[in-house]
Amino acid sequence: MARPEKSRNIHEPPLYTEFRPVGMGGMMGAIIMSIDEYEAIRLSDLEGMTHEQAAEEMGISRPTFTRLLDSAHKKLADMLVNGKRLIIEGGNVNFRFMIMRCADCGHMFRIRTDQIPELCPMCGSKNLIMMAPPFGGGRHRRGHGHRRHGRGGSWGKGPHK
Ligand SMILES: [Zn+2]
């Protein structure tokens, strides 16, 4: 019984989405890591969560989480050993938070995706930049057809809060 794939909860978009080896300029090709794979590494390897905890955080089953993490680790190894570029993008994901930056005063802040402000909380400027737009321009829509564009009505309805 195949269930439709649920989107995975991601805390916030990665700020760094491309890595390349020094000197080689990424001549050995590129690896695409999905944002849910990135989040699996962050939760398990950086935050130290168990697979159970991390799976719950992302709203997926533990076996799915383990598969995601294994896949992410293989990509990291390929990158490190074979000197490939790494690009983080795509995946069926929902962000809980966004990082925004004010173009006028440079203030950077984290905000819930259902509470995007119009004005910079520091200087009141309207020139706010999303550091990593959720699904804008197709960058995060790889392979998943018509995802809704940012600011959709169901943002923030995850299992938490
Ligand atoms: Zn500002």
Side-chain angles (χ1 to χ4, degrees):
M1 293 206 301
R3 287 178 305 168
E5 187 183 276
K6 278 177 61 183
S7 61
R8 287 89 193 260
N9 296 322
I10 308 292
H11 187 267
E12 67 193 34
L15 282 183
Y16 310 102
T17 56
E18 184 163 351
F19 301 85
R20 67 174 68 217
V22 174
M24 295 292 287
M27 286 159 52
M28 305 310 289
I31 295 166
I32 307 291
M33 178 180 287
S34 63
I35 292 170
D36 39 354
E37 288 173 332
Y38 157 90
E39 185 76 345
I41 286 177
R42 193 183 71 80
L43 293 175
S44 176
D45 298 325
L46 192 64
E47 301 286 329
M49 286 187 185
T50 66
H51 290 196
E52 283 81 4
Q53 291 169 329
E56 188 185 353
E57 178 78 12
M58 293 181 70
I60 58 180
S61 72
R62 195 206 48 78
T64 299
F65 179 83
T66 300
R67 275 197 302 277
L68 207 54
L69 188 62
D70 283 348
S71 166
H73 283 162
K74 285 207 176 68
K75 290 180 180 181
L76 277 187
D78 192 12
M79 172 211 180
L80 287 175
V81 175
N82 296 320
K84 295 183 179 176
R85 282 194 301 142
L86 180 72
I87 296 164
I88 301 173
E89 67 175 15
N92 186 10
V93 298
N94 280 318
F95 297 113
R96 287 207 183 88
F97 293 86
M98 297 299 298
I99 310 283
M100 306 206 56
R101 191 172 76 82
C102 173
D104 287 330
C105 75
H107 178 55
M108 271 178 61
F109 55 102
R110 174 181 286 109
I111 199 88
R112 281 181 54 136
T113 41
D114 56 356
Q115 294 170 356
I116 304 278
E118 305 217 334
L119 304 175
C120 170
M122 290 297 277
C123 74
S125 163
K126 285 187 177 176
N127 284 327
L128 296 181
I129 300 162
M130 249 181 225
M131 297 301 286
F135 301 106
R139 268 195 58 126
H140 298 281
R141 294 158 60 193
R142 177 178 296 261
H144 286 286
H146 302 286
R147 301 289 306 160
R148 66 177 169 271
H149 284 262
R151 300 178 200 225
S154 64
W155 283 55
K157 275 193 196 157
H160 295 263
K161 286 161 200 100

